[in-house]
Amino acid sequence: MNLSKNWLADFVDVSDISAKDYCDRMTDTGSKVECFEELAADIENVIVARIIKITPHENSDHLQICQVDIGKEVVQIVTGAQNVFEGAIVPAAIPVAKLPGDITIKAGKLRGVDSNCMLCSMGELGLNEHDMPGKEPNGILILDEDFADKIGMDICEALMLRDTVVEFEITSNRPDCLSVIGLARESAVSFGKELKLHTPSVKCVQDGDKIENYLSVKIDAPDLCQRYMARVVKNVKIAPSPLWLRMRLRASGVRPINNIVDITNYVMLEYGQPMHAFDYSCLDGSSIIVRRASDNEKFISLDDQAHELDSSMLVIADKEKAVALAGVMGGANSEIKDNTATVVFESACFLGTSVRVTAKKNGMRTESSARYEKGLDPENCYGGLERACELIELLGAGEVVNGIIDVYPEKKAPVQLDFDPCVINAFLGTDISENQMIDILTTLDCKVENGKITVPSFRSDLGCMNDIAEEIARIYGYNNIVSTRIKAETTQGGRTPKQKFELSVENAMCGMGLDQIQTFSFISPKYYDKIRLPENSSLRNSVVISNPLGEDTSVMRTTALPSILEVLARNYNFKNENVGLFEIATVYIPTTPDKLPEENKVLSIGMYGDCDFYTLKGVCENLLKLASIDNYSISSCSDNACFHPGRCAKLSIGEKIVGTLGEIHPLVLGNYDINTPVYAAEIDFDAIFNSMKAEKQYKPLPKYPATTRDFSFVCDEALEVGTIFAEAKKAGGKLVEDVALFDIYRGPQVGENKKSVSIRVTLRASDRTLTVEEAEKTGSKILNALQNSLSITLRA
């Protein structure tokens, strides 16, 4: 929002405050200033002058010698411009003069004739055809006779060019500050100045003509249009706006067009109320209907761009067609033209979200839509409409017809909040008196009565006690608030049990020589093919990202195996010989369409180089020991297509499978261009945590000696050694301290599809030394159990 200080002076006097001090204070009170600019500061010693006499130059066929009255004297100027004439009022640069673009004008000679000044064009003064309508753009600027009494006056004063423009960054919750009046209100409060608001006054025609003779208004979409007001102006005279109005628009960054259009822009800037003017002759059926657009409805906007509308958009229409996109831009079919005789002024309040959707879909964000998007005050419609009609009468641009059409479906009740100074002081850590708070709120147009605050309609951002406290704090002055220690009780921070366990797992993994990595949770669906995931696998059912960065990041992973293989492949390509990695990753398992996916943590491990299957198995077992889990088992798995069928195992806790570990399938390694065995594991981290024993029991070192018994068996090739271990421990009971494998033999001596397994059972009692009889008895029990349960035979 660009604010002209000349315009601001209509409402609050800040002439005694420098531009820098003004900007600093406004920023301190919450109206952030980006920068300020002194307009026409680069123009010096250019005055209003009149040409008295013109004679031809003796040494040139295109130069003319002008005698020019500059007020205090007559000077001679040589010019090549052909549009000057005797009696013309022109801007003259008196040496030493400065013009925009760092141009300096000095006295000199042209073809031997003295020239003490220079006549200036519009471009040399930084003006254009919109600033000075009807003037010659390529010649000397010829001023109207209205400037006859300003001969000798500084041109910047005469043309109202001097101004200070302050650029504000208005936050989205303060649409009221997107106006001169809104910023004037903030300025008055910030500097303790009087705010002078003008109530528009419209005389209207005296011939008894009424608006009902011209127009009717109907709102078919009250959910998108909160209020719609209209007035009619007849006998319109389209002409350029007066200089003061054009210069104010120019300072605000708005291009002047004609008096009717300029009035709508002027009111939008002054009141913050976007307006639109329709050519009444273009409205079929003398009616305005505020409705939703039809799907595929065609519309051509004022900028001559064609648009295809849909039912999510709100339009202003007559009985036949749409004549404007509500809150965005008018239509070319109702544009104000030079021959327009009757105008309908619209002042309405549309739903901000609807305007934003319409503007975005059509790619046409405007000054109007930018204001509506933030949510405007329906009560402001009346003041804006009356101000526009007042300007019509002030400029002599037409006659205002009696009556106003005001369709207001549902008027909102004022917002009322509790006023409790003690709570506000406790919240701010201040000691502001109640009377001082009331004074501040009153200057902000809030009414404080009987412990209640009535919020003005234009302050939609005030909705709770915290908002009121912020208003008091910013006007009171943040710099005036004394620093104090925090008085409230605080909650001591700390990690949850799961976070502590996760940290301990990370430390343990790093202690075993693995490096921690972190990968993206979104992957490409092609990754599932690279790890040979079956087509009917439930893991292929992934959460699809609606706005992915690309195909490689289009779905949320359901397994972390592709992620760690990508990192291993990168390290392999970098010629790293021994690599061990781990990640506590998150996977996303879809549930139902109306619910968020399940976010599960998995421990992903990958390694190659100086390692084998048993290295990986040892890492997994150490993890289980860390969690004090002893009821686990590791058994072979041959149906996982990602792993080598004969070198893969599943990890179970009780009856529940919680992970898979093994050597990656050679075909998978081929997809990653890895030519060395890779070992990987994926373990359900949440299941490990849930099975963890929170309390660890102390177990003293054994006081009594152990004894061992060795057994060699012949069994089927398919029988797993882990099954033999489990059965031996079960049969031996509490006396079995450990079971270990020390030999496996395959050969003709044991038979086809058979193998010889030799195990060592360690027996120990915690309270005594075992006797030979006890050891033999336990050994026999183990042997009988193995022979009976697993159908194995003792090797001779």
Side-chain angles (χ1 to χ4, degrees):
M1 173 71 187
N2 292 337
L3 176 66
S4 160
K5 288 193 73 176
N6 290 346
W7 199 342
L8 177 67
D10 288 355
F11 303 98
V12 60
D13 182 13
V14 291
S15 57
D16 58 332
I17 301 168
S18 69
K20 184 179 184 307
D21 290 342
Y22 176 81
C23 295
D24 290 344
R25 177 58 181 162
M26 291 298 287
T27 298
D28 286 344
T29 56
S31 301
K32 184 184 176 184
V33 175
E34 288 290 305
C35 61
F36 71 90
E37 180 184 4
E38 300 285 353
L39 299 185
D42 51 0
I43 300 177
E44 294 181 8
N45 289 336
V46 181
I47 61 175
V48 180
R50 184 189 287 275
I51 299 176
I52 300 175
K53 185 179 180 180
I54 301 177
T55 57
H57 196 293
E58 294 180 355
N59 301 322
S60 173
D61 57 357
H62 71 279
L63 295 178
Q64 302 181 84
I65 302 173
C66 303
Q67 304 301 320
V68 180
D69 179 10
I70 61 172
K72 56 185 178 181
E73 60 179 319
V74 176
V75 297
Q76 179 172 285
I77 300 176
V78 179
T79 180
Q82 302 302 307
N83 68 321
V84 296
F85 54 90
E86 292 182 356
I89 301 175
V90 294
I94 307 300
V96 174
K98 291 185 178 180
L99 295 175
D102 201 23
I103 298 173
T104 301
I105 306 299
K106 299 180 180 179
K109 289 187 177 183
L110 290 176
R111 299 286 181 92
V113 177
D114 290 336
S115 182
N116 297 315
C117 300
M118 186 187 83
L119 303 182
C120 300
S121 66
M122 283 193 298
E124 288 166 332
L125 295 176
L127 302 172
N128 57 44
E129 296 177 71
H130 297 286
D131 301 323
M132 305 299 294
K135 303 302 179 183
E136 173 62 42
N138 299 317
I140 300 302
L141 174 60
I142 307 298
L143 301 174
D144 298 334
E145 279 299 319
D146 296 343
F147 291 86
D149 59 345
K150 298 179 181 178
I151 302 299
M153 181 184 290
D154 184 283
I155 193 68
C156 294
E157 299 298 330
L159 294 181
M160 304 179 185
L161 296 179
R162 294 206 191 281
D163 198 353
T164 300
V165 176
V166 182
E167 181 182 347
F168 286 89
E169 180 187 338
I170 306 301
T171 55
S172 58
N173 67 325
R174 291 300 304 274
D176 59 299
C177 288
L178 288 170
S179 65
V180 176
I181 290 178
L183 290 172
R185 186 181 289 110
E186 289 294 310
S187 300
V189 175
S190 298
F191 293 97
K193 301 279 188 176
E194 179 187 0
L195 179 65
K196 298 171 289 184
L197 293 181
H198 165 70
T199 302
S201 175
V202 182
K203 295 180 181 179
C204 299
V205 295
Q206 302 299 317
D207 57 5
D209 204 1
K210 297 181 179 180
I211 193 172
E212 288 81 4
N213 300 332
Y214 293 84
L215 191 69
S216 64
V217 174
K218 180 183 178 184
I219 299 179
D220 283 347
D223 55 325
L224 303 183
C225 179
Q226 297 163 295
R227 189 179 191 182
Y228 194 97
M229 299 185 71
R231 291 202 81 156
V232 173
V233 178
K234 65 180 182 179
N235 298 327
V236 171
K237 303 176 185 64
I238 305 296
S241 299
L243 180 65
W244 65 267
L245 194 149
R246 299 200 307 270
M247 291 302 106
R248 287 190 174 183
L249 292 179
R250 178 178 180 269
S252 300
V254 177
R255 185 183 69 181
I257 298 176
N258 60 51
N259 51 2
I260 300 300
V261 176
D262 290 351
I263 284 172
T264 61
N265 287 332
Y266 189 91
V267 171
M268 178 185 68
L269 293 171
E270 186 173 70
Y271 276 74
Q273 175 59 45
M275 296 192 63
H276 189 66
F278 300 100
D279 187 331
Y280 175 74
S281 64
C282 300
L283 298 179
D284 294 328
S286 300
S287 65
I288 284 179
I289 303 170
V290 185
R291 61 170 173 82
R292 283 179 167 83
S294 302
D295 288 330
N296 303 319
E297 183 174 355
K298 307 299 181 184
F299 177 77
I300 299 177
S301 54
L302 280 172
D303 55 1
D304 294 323
Q305 298 295 314
H307 303 275
E308 188 171 293
L309 311 182
D310 60 51
S311 57
S312 68
M313 304 175 188
L314 187 69
V315 296
I316 312 302
D318 56 24
K319 287 192 175 180
E320 302 295 332
K321 61 188 180 300
V323 294
L325 277 177
V328 182
M329 187 179 289
N333 53 15
S334 61
E335 180 182 6
I336 301 297
K337 301 181 178 64
D338 292 341
N339 60 352
T340 297
T342 305
V343 168
V344 175
F345 276 116
E346 165 196 281
S347 181
C349 187
F350 306 112
L351 185 66
T353 52
S354 171
V355 174
R356 176 173 174 77
V357 168
T358 302
K360 189 174 181 180
K361 284 186 176 180
N362 290 282
M364 50 192 302
R365 198 165 188 264
T366 61
E367 286 284 343
S368 174
S369 68
R371 284 169 167 78
Y372 275 119
E373 287 172 7
K374 295 171 177 62
L376 296 185
D377 175 20
E379 299 299 320
N380 200 31
C381 295
Y382 177 78
L385 184 60
E386 289 295 275
R387 177 58 168 159
C389 292
E390 182 184 52
L391 289 172
I392 287 288
E393 295 179 344
L394 180 64
L395 273 54
E399 299 176 356
V400 181
V401 174
N402 286 285
I404 301 175
I405 294 179
D406 184 6
V407 183
Y408 202 167
E410 185 177 355
K411 185 173 182 178
K412 291 184 178 179
V415 175
Q416 286 195 328
L417 303 174
D418 293 331
F419 176 56
D420 191 335
C422 295
V423 172
I424 293 174
N425 275 323
F427 179 73
L428 296 176
T430 57
D431 190 21
I432 305 173
S433 68
E434 179 177 349
N435 289 336
Q436 195 171 1
M437 289 185 186
I438 293 175
D439 289 342
I440 291 173
L441 293 174
T442 302
T443 58
L444 292 169
D445 282 357
C446 294
K447 294 181 180 178
V448 183
E449 295 177 343
N450 302 321
K452 293 286 184 181
I453 302 171
T454 303
V455 178
S457 60
F458 58 82
R459 290 301 304 273
S460 57
D461 60 309
L462 302 183
C464 63
M465 183 277 295
N466 293 2
D467 297 331
I468 297 298
E470 181 184 7
E471 293 299 293
I472 292 172
R474 71 183 182 90
I475 303 303
Y476 177 74
Y478 295 115
N479 294 334
N480 296 326
I481 298 177
V482 179
S483 299
T484 58
R485 293 182 179 273
I486 296 176
K487 297 179 181 179
E489 293 183 2
T490 58
T491 302
Q492 186 174 1
R495 291 186 175 93
T496 64
K498 189 172 184 179
Q499 290 172 331
K500 292 178 180 178
F501 179 64
E502 184 173 335
L503 182 61
S504 65
V505 170
E506 292 173 354
N507 291 335
M509 290 293 159
C510 292
M512 287 185 280
L514 278 68
D515 295 313
Q516 187 173 12
I517 63 171
Q518 186 172 9
T519 58
F520 288 123
S521 295
F522 33 82
I523 61 173
S524 167
K526 295 179 181 178
Y527 283 14
Y528 297 140
D529 296 329
K530 293 182 72 173
I531 64 171
R532 300 179 71 241
L533 199 65
E535 291 294 333
N536 60 350
S537 173
S538 60
L539 295 180
R540 284 185 177 269
N541 180 24
S542 305
V543 176
V544 179
I545 301 173
S546 59
N547 56 340
L549 298 175
E551 184 182 1
D552 288 344
T553 54
S554 60
V555 300
M556 304 302 291
R557 65 187 175 193
T558 56
T559 171
L561 188 60
S563 301
I564 202 163
L565 286 176
E566 287 286 338
V567 181
L568 288 172
R570 192 177 303 117
N571 279 272
Y572 181 79
N573 292 333
F574 291 164
K575 309 300 182 184
N576 291 331
E577 296 180 356
N578 293 292
V579 176
L581 307 174
F582 79 95
E583 178 186 14
I584 299 178
T586 304
V587 296
Y588 300 82
I589 308 301
T591 52
T592 57
D594 59 335
K595 291 184 179 180
L596 293 174
E598 293 181 2
E599 299 184 25
N600 302 328
K601 285 186 178 293
V602 296
L603 174 61
S604 179
I605 304 171
M607 58 182 68
Y608 68 80
D610 188 15
C611 60
D612 56 18
F613 174 85
Y614 295 101
T615 306
L616 177 64
K617 178 172 176 285
V619 170
C620 296
E621 288 180 329
N622 285 339
L623 168 67
L624 297 172
K625 289 179 181 178
L626 178 69
S628 300
I629 299 173
D630 52 15
N631 61 328
Y632 69 89
S633 61
I634 298 176
S635 55
S636 64
C637 176
S638 58
D639 59 353
N640 192 319
C642 306
F643 291 87
H644 192 296
R647 302 168 189 173
C648 176
K650 55 188 177 183
L651 174 64
S652 302
I653 298 177
E655 300 296 327
K656 182 180 180 181
I657 299 174
V658 297
T660 305
L661 63 149
E663 182 180 332
I664 297 298
H665 199 289
L667 295 179
V668 175
L669 295 181
N671 293 335
Y672 289 92
D673 296 325
I674 300 176
N675 296 320
T676 189
V678 171
Y679 303 92
E682 190 170 28
I683 301 171
D684 187 339
F685 183 85
D686 295 325
I688 298 296
F689 173 74
N690 294 331
S691 301
M692 178 182 65
K693 294 180 180 178
E695 294 184 358
K696 296 186 178 182
Q697 294 184 349
Y698 168 72
K699 186 178 181 180
L701 293 174
K703 296 181 180 180
Y704 302 97
T707 184
T708 60
R709 291 293 183 269
D710 293 345
F711 302 98
S712 293
F713 305 102
V714 175
C715 62
D716 294 335
E717 180 68 44
L719 183 63
E720 297 177 5
V721 173
T723 304
I724 297 175
F725 283 4
E727 189 63 31
K729 290 179 180 179
K730 180 180 177 182
K734 295 181 180 181
L735 295 181
V736 177
E737 182 179 73
D738 185 36
V739 180
L741 174 73
F742 67 87
D743 184 53
I744 291 182
Y745 173 74
R746 296 177 179 87
Q749 293 89 340
V750 296
E752 188 177 358
N753 294 326
K754 297 287 185 177
K755 62 184 176 182
S756 172
V757 177
S758 299
I759 64 173
R760 177 167 294 145
V761 180
T762 302
L763 305 175
R764 190 197 303 266
S766 61
D767 57 349
R768 67 189 186 281
T769 300
L770 291 178
T771 63
V772 174
E773 291 78 9
E774 288 179 306
E776 291 297 333
K777 183 179 179 181
T778 303
S780 298
K781 287 176 62 178
I782 293 172
L783 179 59
N784 293 333
L786 293 176
Q787 290 176 333
N788 296 332
S789 300
L790 304 179
S791 300
I792 62 178
T793 58
L794 188 64
R795 184 178 176 186

